[in-house]
Structure formats: structure tokens, C-alpha cells
Amino acid sequence: MKNNKHLVGLVDSSHYDKLSDAVEQVLEHIHFSFNKEIRTVAIKPNLHNYWKSSSGETTDPKVVEAIVDIIRMNVSPDEIYLVESDATVMRAKHSFKMLGYEELAKQKNLRLVNLGKEKLIPLQPDVYAHATNSILQKIQVPEILTKMDLFISVPKLKLHSLTGLSCSLKNQFGCIPIKRKVVFHESLNKAIAIINKAITPNLILVDGIISKGKTPKRLNLLMAGCDPVAVDYVAAKISGLNPKKISHLMESKNLGVGSTNVKCVGANWAQFAEIFPRKGFLYNNSRKSLLSLYGLYLRKMTLEGKVFGAKPAVGG
Amino acid sequence: MKSVKIGIAGLGGQGKKHFLNCLRLKNCEVIAVADGYKRNLSRVSELGINTYTDYHEMIPKEKPDAVIIALPNYLHADCSTIASENGCNILLEKPFARNMEEAKLIANHVRKTGIKLMLAMCQRFIGSCQELKEEIDNDTLGRIDFASALFFTGPFTSGKGVPEWIFDPMKMGGGALLDSGCHIIDLLLWFFGEVDSVQGHTESIFDLGYDDYADVLLRFRNGVNALAVVSWRSRNPCYRIEVAGEHSRKVALSRKFGIFDVGLRKALFSFVLENVSQKIMRGRPFLPLGDNIYYKELDYFTKCIINDEEPEPNAIDGLKVLNVIESIYEKTKSKK
């Protein structure tokens, strides 16, 4: 597997007839090549509640389908697994069915895996050393993911109420096979960093076709990289967030998961940042409203003669 | 009878709301609660209320004046039968039953035993819907040609946990049309009376073995045409009833039922006032904000029992609603 970790590829998928062509192009940007000896592959989409990908919250099965096609074109793995675990308000088996992954698995001969039902192993000693409290020390990882020849994370680019950004690092949090993941919420940033240190994906393919910011919006963005920290750094820039203020990103960087030394290849990230539906008063409609309020104020001042002199007298 | 002794079967989302409202109401007293999850029961038993893990045990032993049935759809018929055989009045959560067969079974038991059964169609207690009903009855809108009812909300879009039985089509008996559609069809039947003809269709994109979208066109005997649309797909909840009359057009809206029903300021004021007084005077737990319609519903039900009046909607109203729903399911099946 040859890769350049600092590279992050971006493409505008609307420029391609087929999604698989866009995925192929973005992998080319980061000089990603498949090792011919790959036998097992795990793909981790981001499934959140039972919301379709058009909500900007879950990975589009078409993106997963495209990467599966590309894998099969390049190598002949014995098994491709689609993995996800149960969450506080979501059960993986229902999500697979309702969001179109069960159908995809049938068509493409994939194996759906609920990580909560797999054998778990404790954190490696070097990672465990970073678990600073009893909650973090409870983190276990599914053994199946540690044995994969290739682990691909296919996150959704979106904003998150607790972490600010949800992209590749946050997607890995879904690999912790505990239903009530809320127990980690008080140490969420550290937990994300630890799980990323324990299981680092070999390839990240970000589904930014429809992204959720303030509202869902079509960005037609596909982004790829081999370093989750680098990918999230660019994702933060696109989302209008300061990467240095995203705690789980900085925690992961400090833990040595990856680097923020990034080189973007392909489309310009700024073109996506321009249309990303940012949160906050100063963006989108709020900004327009503020400007129009300022316009009204100026108009009032003009009419009162405070800007361009006194208003001419009306009548005689 | 001064106070109605109540047993609650099922302490899920709806059961908890009814339970808390029972604590608020002066004319009722919860004497027992049955729920399969012991964790739910532990907090109830702290209040000195008898708890059971099975309603089969609770109802014959406690013989309450009324049973609130807030169980999964597939248990409605069974629990109603036991309650009516033990002479308990019933407040039954929607839908009435999974199908007409079960609904007729419940209705027959109610008729034979002479108990009172009220369907928990809480939307009849939304202030704007009650005003609309009054205007229709008083004929102040003039001749009504058209009405529409939109109800977009569902278990999968709320972002809350979904009980496992909801994923089982056998336990559900139907999808959006049965589970949510029963509300708006009940309202339309309440407004306009007997139905002349029914058309409609259902769709499913979630592939769960039942519908997640349905539209229904009802023609009433009084000449009103009404369209009802229900969807479990939209993440933006919508509740809108519109009636177009000869003189004016009237809309009933509700987003957060309780709060928008009485107005935010009034709701907050009554919430603070009632909770603080309840907490100080009786040491009772704090209540959630915005459950006003459930409170009104339970108040009406208990008053009907105390005054020996027939509550509405009753089993016959439930049969009418279910008849409409089942005819649409049958038509959709025959098209396929």
C-alpha cells in the first residue's frame, strides 16, 4: 500500500458522469494504490439514527458502492465487511436495512457486521497508557478490525453539536461497540483520540456530497486521504471552523494519530467552504439580515438628514 | 365516586406522560403500574404505588376503576379483554387495534361488559382543533368544500430511541397510516361525520414491511372532500389542519402540542407555578413541559367515569377510523 500521508485529495463529483470515476480520481490525487495481497477489507460508513443520506447525516450507500467497485477492480479480496455498531438511539441492524446497506450488501456480496456482536479485545498497552480515567479505560476494540488488511473509513462531512466537526476521527468513535456511547460524552474528545490511535484507518473517503451544516446542502465534495487528522483538518477549514479549536482533532494530533501538515490536491477547498452551510449568526441568512438591518439604518439616517444633509422642506 | 382508582399498563413514553398527569389530577389516584422493565418500576414503587411486571397479574388483583393501556399495538386487544372482563373502564392508547378483527373483539367485550372505553386521541384536545370543531358545528365557516390534514412526524425522525417492537410489522399491524394517520382521520371524522367514499395509497422507502407514507382522500356524506397526508420521512415535524369554508378559511396548527396550544408564556407560567406548588406541597416529582393535551384528555376521561357519561371517542368511533384505514390497506394490496 503506497501512500503519501500528508496529501488530501478533493474532487467535485458533479464533474463526473459516474461516482466511481470521481472516487478513482480522488484516490489518484493522493497516489493511493491497493496492495495486491489484500484479502480482507472493512468499510465503516457513518450511520446515525435512521436518517437517509440526503439529510447530510449518514453516508450515502452509493459512495460505499463506488469504493467497493474500485476495490474489486484492483484486488480480489476474500471478504469485504461493512461495519457499524449500535448507538444510544440507533441499532445497526435496522440502520443497515432502512438506509439501503442491506440491499447493497446483497448486490455486491458484502458482509454486514454489527461490531457489538464481535469479539472484543482491550486496548494495546501503549494506547491504554493515554486512558486517563476509568471511563476511558473501559474502551475495548473489536478484534475483527485489528485483523483487516485494509480498513476504509467512509465518514460524512457534517457539523456536530458536541465536537464541532464530525468527519473521519469522529466516525471512528462508532467503532466502540457499546450501545450507550453517551457514557463517553464527558471525555468525548479524548475517547475519539484513543479509538483513532487504537484503530487507524488506512484510507479515508469522505462523503461530502450532501453535508449537514446549519442545514443539509449539496456540496458534491469527495475528499480522500490516508491520515485522519489531515483529512479532518481540511474538513474543518471547509466547514468554516478553526481546526486548532477542535479539541478531538488536537487531541488526536498530540497522540500521534496524524499530522496537520497537509497538502491539498485537486479541487480547491475554498470553493466548497464558500457554499458550506455554516452555523452562526454571521453566516448565510443571518448575515444578510444583519446587512439589510444596516441598510435600513442608513436609509433612516439619510431620510433624517444625518448623512446627506437636511431633508428638504415639503410644501410651501 | 370522588376519585378514580387507576392502573397503568405500560410505562413507556406515553405511559409515563399519563402517569405524571395522574399525579397532577385531583380526581384520580394511581394504585398500580405494570411494566416489563423493572428499571421503570423502581422509581414508581418509591412513591408507594404497587408495581407489577405483568398486567395479567395487576388487573385481576388490583381491580382498578380504570386501566390506562399504553402498551405496544399487539397487546391492545389482549389487555383490553382482560380489563373489560374485570369490569375496569379503559383509556386505550392509539391505534385502537392492529386490524378490524381485533378492534371488533375489543368493541364486543366493551358492549357485553358495559364498561366505558375511551380512545386516547389526544389531538381532539388541541385548543385550535376544538375551536375549529366549534366553528364547523356552529356553521360559521359556511358551506365547506375542502379540508386538508397534514401530519409529518414519526418514530425514526425524532432522533430519540425507537422501541424494538416498532421494527416488527406483525407487532405494529401497520405503519404511518395506522399509527399516526389514525389521529388525523379521527379528527376529520369528528369534524365532518359519516364517510361516503375513500381513496388512498401507501408507500414505503424504509423497507420495514409497512408503510411510512400515506395519502387519503375522503368524501363525506355532507359533501366535504378531505385530504389527509401522513409521513414518517420528514425530519421537520408538521401538523396542520385546514378547512376551507364559504366565508373563511381556518387553520389549526400545532408544533409542540401543549406549549403552542396555550401559548408559551402561559404554559411556562403554569408549568413553574404548578410544579413548584406540587413539589413543595406534596413532594411530587417535577412534570415535563408541554403535555397539556394529555392532561386535558385524562381529566375528561376521569370526569366521564365519575359522572357516568359515555366518553368520546369510544369504541364505535375507533371502528369507523380503523375501517377507513383498513380499506386503504386493502386497496393498496389489491393494486400490487
Side-chain angles (χ1 to χ4, degrees):
Chain A
M1 225 175 301
K2 201 168 66 178
N3 56 49
N4 288 298
K5 274 213 143 192
H6 67 292
L7 293 181
V8 173
L10 298 103
V11 297
D12 184 336
S13 66
S14 65
H15 296 166
Y16 299 84
D17 292 336
K18 280 163 66 183
L19 198 58
S20 55
D21 292 343
V23 174
E24 219 168 350
Q25 182 61 59
V26 79
L27 296 185
E28 241 172 62
H29 283 325
I30 59 165
H31 310 305
F32 187 87
S33 60
F34 292 92
N35 187 333
K36 298 288 173 199
E37 286 164 16
I38 285 171
R39 286 283 159 261
T40 50
V41 181
I43 300 173
K44 163 79 175 70
N46 185 345
L47 306 185
H48 178 242
N49 285 334
Y50 306 107
W51 300 333
K52 295 259 173 192
S53 60
S54 55
S55 66
E57 301 268 13
T58 55
T59 304
D60 193 336
K62 284 177 194 155
V63 177
V64 176
E65 185 182 1
I67 190 73
V68 168
D69 287 344
I70 289 166
I71 294 167
R72 291 244 165 87
M73 273 194 301
N74 289 281
V75 287
S76 310
D78 299 333
E79 200 83 71
I80 300 180
Y81 301 92
L82 270 179
V83 301
E84 183 55 281
S85 66
D86 292 343
T88 311
V89 294
M90 182 270 283
R91 299 290 169 262
K93 66 172 179 180
H94 300 311
S95 245
F96 282 141
K97 186 171 186 181
M98 292 170 71
L99 304 182
Y101 285 91
E102 204 172 276
E103 188 64 34
L104 179 70
K106 267 184 210 161
Q107 281 174 11
K108 300 285 173 185
N109 193 23
L110 312 173
R111 246 181 83 183
L112 297 172
V113 176
N114 181 350
L115 294 173
K117 302 214 165 137
E118 293 297 310
K119 190 186 167 191
L120 304 177
I121 53 168
L123 293 170
Q124 292 293 308
D126 61 323
V127 185
Y128 187 85
H130 298 287
T132 47
N133 63 42
S134 57
I135 293 167
L136 295 172
Q137 284 163 1
K138 281 179 192 160
I139 295 177
Q140 288 185 302
V141 291
E143 192 182 35
I144 187 172
L145 293 182
T146 61
K147 289 182 174 173
M148 289 291 130
D149 296 329
L150 177 64
F151 179 30
I152 305 173
S153 172
V154 192
K156 194 83 176 172
L157 168 60
K158 59 186 179 182
L159 297 185
H160 191 271
S161 58
L162 296 174
T163 57
L165 176 77
S166 174
C167 197
S168 63
L169 291 165
K170 176 69 175 63
N171 190 32
Q172 290 299 98
F173 184 63
C175 293
I176 301 177
I178 294 177
K179 278 182 194 170
R180 286 185 58 78
K181 290 190 182 64
V182 285
V183 296
F184 295 112
H185 277 191
E186 63 180 77
S187 316
L188 185 58
N189 297 314
K190 192 85 178 176
I192 292 172
I194 286 174
I195 191 70
N196 274 281
K197 183 76 179 167
I199 326 163
T200 315
N202 308 107
L203 172 66
I204 299 120
L205 175 66
V206 180
D207 169 14
I209 294 173
I210 294 177
S211 276
K212 174 86 193 313
K214 194 175 181 180
T215 52
K217 187 157 185 182
R218 181 171 283 275
L219 301 184
N220 289 318
L221 164 69
L222 279 176
M223 187 162 64
C226 297
D227 178 347
V229 174
V231 169
D232 275 26
Y233 184 86
V234 180
K237 289 271 193 192
I238 290 171
S239 319
L241 301 170
N242 181 353
K244 286 179 184 166
K245 287 188 177 170
I246 297 174
S247 306
H248 71 271
L249 181 59
M250 288 299 118
E251 289 268 11
S252 304
K253 185 195 166 191
N254 296 339
L255 232 59
V257 176
S259 158
T260 52
N261 181 21
V262 183
K263 188 184 174 197
C264 289
V265 193
N268 187 353
W269 65 267
Q271 83 176 69
F272 301 106
E274 214 166 88
I275 52 171
F276 187 87
R278 294 179 187 192
K279 272 187 179 171
F281 183 69
L282 293 177
Y283 298 105
N284 305 322
N285 293 333
S286 315
R287 187 169 49 181
K288 280 180 199 161
S289 319
L290 196 68
L291 286 173
S292 61
L293 268 177
Y294 182 61
L296 278 174
Y297 171 75
L298 274 183
R299 200 174 152 180
K300 185 173 177 280
M301 290 288 132
T302 309
L303 287 172
E304 285 174 1
K306 287 179 184 166
V307 178
F308 298 113
K311 193 168 60 170
V314 181
Chain B
M1 194 190 294
K2 277 184 183 175
S3 174
V4 181
K5 286 179 182 164
I6 286 185
I8 299 176
L11 210 57
Q14 285 307 107
K16 277 178 192 151
K17 280 177 191 160
H18 290 306
F19 175 72
L20 289 169
N21 282 328
C22 284
L23 297 182
R24 288 171 89 186
L25 277 168
K26 284 176 190 164
N27 56 6
C28 73
E29 184 194 350
V30 183
I31 56 163
V33 173
D35 193 86
Y37 292 100
K38 283 185 180 167
R39 205 173 61 179
N40 283 346
L41 296 175
S42 62
R43 293 172 77 178
V44 175
S45 56
E46 282 170 20
L47 296 168
I49 295 165
N50 295 338
T51 55
Y52 297 84
T53 50
D54 193 349
Y55 59 81
H56 290 95
E57 195 188 340
M58 178 188 81
I59 296 169
K61 201 171 170 185
E62 299 281 345
K63 289 208 188 306
D65 298 326
V67 177
I68 297 176
I69 301 176
L71 292 164
N73 301 357
Y74 69 101
L75 297 172
H76 284 194
D78 180 50
C79 190
S80 301
T81 307
I82 293 167
S84 55
E85 279 170 355
N86 282 280
C88 306
N89 298 298
I90 300 169
L91 177 66
L92 178 58
E93 262 304 327
K94 59 90 194 173
F96 186 19
R98 288 183 294 178
N99 47 48
M100 275 302 273
E101 199 183 324
E102 280 187 355
K104 280 177 186 167
L105 183 83
I106 298 172
N108 279 337
H109 273 287
V110 169
R111 191 173 45 81
K112 275 182 203 166
T113 53
I115 59 143
K116 293 177 178 47
L117 181 140
M118 178 179 154
L119 291 171
M121 291 295 177
C122 57
Q123 300 189 357
R124 286 196 184 199
F125 296 89
I126 296 173
S128 52
C129 289
Q130 288 178 329
E131 281 168 24
L132 195 55
K133 166 75 175 160
E134 208 176 306
E135 294 217 37
I136 293 165
D137 287 351
N138 292 340
D139 207 18
T140 47
L141 298 174
R143 187 173 55 85
I144 297 164
D145 292 321
F146 181 71
S148 67
L150 307 180
F151 192 23
F152 297 172
T153 188
F156 309 120
T157 52
S158 63
K160 291 177 187 167
V162 184
E164 200 58 33
W165 65 269
I166 286 187
F167 294 96
D168 187 338
M170 283 305 289
K171 289 181 178 173
M172 279 290 282
L177 178 61
L178 178 73
D179 211 60
S180 300
C182 64
H183 272 302
I184 50 174
I185 292 170
D186 172 67
L187 273 185
L188 292 171
L189 264 63
W190 185 45
F191 290 160
F192 306 119
E194 295 296 315
V195 177
D196 195 28
S197 70
V198 179
Q199 279 180 314
H201 99 290
T202 61
E203 282 176 14
S204 172
I205 56 165
F206 287 138
D207 196 23
L208 285 172
Y210 52 68
D211 54 298
D212 43 56
Y213 168 89
D215 51 49
V216 184
L217 186 64
L218 297 156
R219 285 177 206 283
F220 289 89
R221 282 192 191 153
N222 59 5
V224 178
N225 297 309
L227 175 71
V229 183
V230 56
S231 171
W232 278 0
R233 298 170 187 174
S234 173
R235 279 182 60 201
N236 293 316
C238 168
Y239 180 82
R240 184 186 171 91
I241 313 278
E242 187 165 352
V243 177
E246 201 179 351
H247 309 312
S248 65
R249 196 159 49 87
K250 187 92 181 167
V251 178
L253 296 168
S254 183
R255 286 179 68 204
K256 288 254 181 189
F257 300 134
I259 302 170
F260 289 91
D261 184 15
V262 294
L264 183 61
R265 213 163 42 171
K266 201 174 164 187
L268 270 173
F269 180 72
S270 67
F271 168 73
V272 172
L273 193 74
E274 285 183 31
N275 272 303
V276 170
S277 62
Q278 289 277 324
K279 183 80 184 165
I280 294 168
M281 305 288 282
R282 300 183 180 185
R284 284 178 173 177
F286 275 89
L287 302 163
L289 178 63
D291 289 335
N292 188 284
I293 52 171
Y294 303 111
Y295 177 84
K296 285 199 241 173
E297 177 184 72
L298 193 64
D299 188 31
Y300 168 74
F301 174 65
T302 49
K303 278 176 184 161
C304 283
I305 293 172
I306 292 168
N307 302 331
D308 196 20
E309 289 167 2
E310 182 63 24
E312 276 186 358
N314 54 23
I316 294 164
D317 298 316
L319 281 173
K320 285 178 187 168
V321 172
L322 211 59
N323 196 23
V324 170
I325 291 169
E326 198 151 284
S327 72
I328 294 159
Y329 278 143
E330 273 166 18
K331 276 174 191 167
T332 312
K333 244 186 225 171
S334 64
K335 270 181 202 168
K336 280 176 187 170

